Amino acid sequence: MSHEDYVLQVRGEAVRTCAGILDGSVCVLEGCHLLSSLRWEVELDERDPDFLTFAMISSEIEGLPIGNDRQHWSKAALAELEPDVRDDVAWAMPIARGACQSVVDRFATEPSA
């Protein structure tokens, strides 16, 4: 796989994740963590506003039990933190929505997106 093919593949993953956030099939918190980790792989300026948005959201929710990490938490701790998770989903979605739409608009027409 060439470097260019790899970048296109990663951008495709970003598009699928953003589309999932927009249609509700991907949790916005989990999606922003993933998109933040892809930030350096999509070959954009390090100050790209969309990926800075994902990184900011990911940073703000660090330490919350989301995604696969939930399996390592006790039921009591999960129950206690569930209101925080719901609040953060409500906070993050309006912020992430525009960035997700922008990523979809920019990269969805690329060959492997």
Side-chain angles (χ1 to χ4, degrees):
M1 172 184 295
S2 72
H3 180 72
E4 182 179 279
D5 289 340
Y6 174 75
V7 171
L8 289 173
Q9 179 182 342
V10 172
R11 287 181 177 183
E13 184 175 357
V15 167
R16 288 185 295 279
T17 301
C18 285
I21 290 170
L22 292 170
D23 72 17
S25 64
V26 173
C27 170
V28 64
L29 304 182
E30 290 178 54
C32 285
H33 269 316
L34 173 61
L35 291 160
S36 178
S37 73
L38 297 178
R39 177 178 176 198
W40 306 110
E41 307 299 314
V42 293
E43 290 211 341
L44 296 172
D45 185 285
E46 67 183 37
R47 296 165 301 200
D48 181 82
D50 299 328
F51 283 87
L52 280 176
T53 297
F54 304 137
M56 180 274 299
I57 292 171
S58 180
S59 174
E60 289 295 319
I61 61 171
E62 209 167 287
L64 283 180
I66 59 171
N68 291 334
D69 290 341
R70 293 179 68 85
Q71 68 186 347
H72 303 292
W73 288 68
S74 72
K75 290 183 190 275
L78 289 173
E80 185 178 320
L81 289 171
E82 192 57 33
D84 293 335
V85 172
R86 279 194 311 268
D87 288 347
D88 283 345
V89 166
W91 162 79
M93 190 61 198
I95 298 168
R97 186 176 290 118
C100 286
Q101 190 61 59
S102 176
V103 167
V104 170
D105 292 346
R106 287 195 288 169
F107 301 135
T109 59
E110 290 185 345
S112 69

